[in-house]
Amino acid sequence: MSKLFPHLFTPGKIGSLTLKNRIMKAPQSSGMSNMDGTVSERLVRYYRQQAAGGAGMIIVEYAYVDDIGAKSAHCHLGISNNEHIPGLAWLAENIREQGAVPAIQIEHCGRQKFLGTQPICAPSAIPWPKLWDQYGVQAVPHVLTIEEIQDIVHAFGDAALRAKQAGFELVEIHGAHGYLLTNFFSPTTNHRTDLYGGSLENRMRIYVEIVRDVRKKVGPDFPVTIRLSGTDYEPDGFPIEDTIELAKVLEKEGIDAFHISGGDHHTMIHQVSPMAIDVCHNVWAAEAIKKVVHVPVIASGSITLPEYAEEIIASGKGDFVGLGRPLWADPEWPLKAMEDRPEDIRPCIRCNEGCLERTFFNFKAITCAVNPTISREGELDLKPAAKPRKIAVVGGGPAGMEAARVCKLRGHEVTLFEEKELGGLLHEASVPEFKSDIRPLCKYLITQIEKLGIPVEHKKATAADLAGYDAVICATGSRPILPGVPGIDKPGVMDALEVLNGARKPEGRIAVIGGGLVGTETALHLAEQGMHTTLVEMLPKIMNGVAATDQLAYSERIAKADMEVCTGTRLVSIGDGEITVSDHTGTHTIPADSVIIAIGLKAQDSLYGELCAQGKEAYLVGDAVHPGKIFDAFHTAYRVAWKI
């Protein structure tokens, strides 16, 4: 029993089920099923590891309920016909063998059909904006007839029965996140005038009919839960008051627990919140539902750390917590929390780079920026090195620390060289409050270096220092690029990293040159501190290559800050109290007392080149390969250290 998180590790009941703790794996599409929706070996390996991590229940990702329009995404899990049952039974049994209760979510995608193929079924012919942008008129939904609605209702009931037959011990109906049921529930997407549209009673009708059909087919004692969005966060959507009324009705229909989330795929920052959005983002909605129902409530959404989860249970805001991305970052999150080792949990930083950015519109299986092994279970597992070697890692940023950690776990003798403090650019990256999720990650990496007893040489390593090592991993990072424009050497000019690490302090009117990730975040950070900031970007838009959810979150913050954005604008020169720029209108000046350069970074790979010239076995990882993101640092470092 955990002393740090006692409420989190008490048993809990949902209907006839008793769970060993209050932690559930929330359902998330993985893109790892076979094309026909059947269970793949890869999917089984993935869920087996998730279940071994200590969660009380694993809710398997959403499974489509019919073969007409329910399937949403590539390699989407199916439960639409009896041929899916053998694989589902295999999956359920593997989860149970690892000590977790196997559950599964069933769904119909409605208008959110990432595949973009017809039929796209919805209550009204209102396309999902993202799909419209990609596919045009092909994205306009087919308006469901009453007979077709009834077929879907029965398909949910049949799918729930298949789940029971396959050995799952609970079924969750997906009634959230902009899929079919919320298409009926939200006035944004339901413009019907028949018995399925208009009044709240009509808009919730399909929920009631599905719950009744499911309950009829699985029996009175089989646990059935439903996932609801507290609100869809749409301006003309449904508020929490509507969801409260829906929950009251569904409890009377026999729902055993409510799994509360928020948002839809149009308001994605409220559904899969990036780090610029507050943690535990939708817990308020779970708390609101819990006040009016008498069955358990599962809180979910950006509950990244065990102290957050403990507080939710202890304060009565929820009875259980659903963890999605945190169990991708570290499948052993529950076990480590239970053993009072929260410092060993690799934290989710909500970057969405490895998961959301890869999956629905890039048609890849999920992975994680900070955990390269997710979806590669059994392939990238760490094994002892065939021959332990003496290895030097040069650079104590995220790539260097990850490489050192993995090499040490494999049995190598490792020394880490870092001229400054451990953490590298994680320190600068985490300075803005809207990037604070990175701070626990930096702390985690430093803690692992300390716990593993890896010696750290605080010096700038030279080739001579490395002569006695069998191999060298160069994680030497990158340095800012400065443009060759007149005035670049003026005293008011500085680079973004100097500003973020406190080495330089901008004053007066500020111009930030470069609207990529670093430039945008630096400008926004300063603007939110009350400094008037102008962001100058030569491309037609800012935040190119930035995760979609970050773009949305930052755009909202920029609109509220004292910040101007000039796109299609090139820096010409830097003067006293101003900069000269050119755009489609010609050349003009912008007032600027301080000029911050953020046009990019250049890899520092000279040591690697010197070592290679000497015939030394050397490897490049992280920014030293190519300046990138945290994702690139972890993935390059892990793979190099995994194979040495």
Side-chain angles (χ1 to χ4, degrees), residues 1-3 5 9 333-341:
M1 180 60 65
S2 170
K3 294 180 180 179
F5 315 109
F9 291 97
W333 190 109
L335 283 175
K336 292 174 180 177
M338 183 179 66
E339 295 170 356
D340 289 337
R341 297 189 291 120

Side-chain angles (χ1 to χ4, degrees), residues 495-562:
D495 67 68
L497 300 184
E498 291 177 313
V499 174
L500 293 171
N501 65 27
R504 302 284 301 275
K505 185 175 181 180
E507 298 177 346
R509 299 161 298 183
I510 299 168
V512 177
I513 312 302
L517 182 64
V518 174
T520 300
E521 290 178 345
T522 303
L524 182 56
H525 169 61
L526 296 172
E528 290 190 338
Q529 290 184 318
M531 302 179 186
H532 177 73
T533 307
T534 302
L535 181 61
V536 178
E537 169 57 47
M538 64 186 300
L539 295 175
K541 66 175 185 177
I542 62 171
M543 295 187 284
N544 290 279
V546 176
T549 47
D550 280 337
Q551 291 185 33
L552 290 170
Y554 289 163
S555 294
E556 287 189 1
R557 299 180 82 110
I558 289 170
K560 299 174 183 176
D562 185 11

Side-chain angles (χ1 to χ4, degrees), residues 184-226:
F184 278 91
F185 194 55
S186 178
T188 300
T189 47
N190 186 348
H191 292 183
R192 297 177 79 101
T193 57
D194 61 9
L195 74 167
Y196 287 98
S199 68
L200 178 58
E201 180 183 6
N202 285 351
R203 288 187 284 113
M204 70 171 70
R205 188 180 303 277
I206 191 170
Y207 285 85
V208 174
E209 293 179 342
I210 286 173
V211 171
R212 286 177 179 173
D213 200 78
V214 166
R215 180 56 72 198
K216 176 183 176 182
K217 289 171 179 171
V218 299
D221 298 324
F222 186 78
V224 178
T225 65
I226 190 164

Side-chain angles (χ1 to χ4, degrees), residues 174-178 182 227-234 238 240 243 259-273 281-286 298-301:
H174 199 347
H177 296 166
T182 52
R227 195 166 201 188
L228 302 176
S229 291
T231 171
D232 54 4
Y233 292 95
E234 297 281 4
F238 59 88
I240 186 64
T243 307
H259 191 172
I260 305 302
S261 185
D264 58 30
H265 285 1
H266 186 223
T267 58
M268 182 63 80
I269 58 174
H270 301 292
Q271 180 192 333
V272 189
S273 300
H281 185 61
N282 289 305
V283 171
W284 68 271
I298 307 160
S300 67

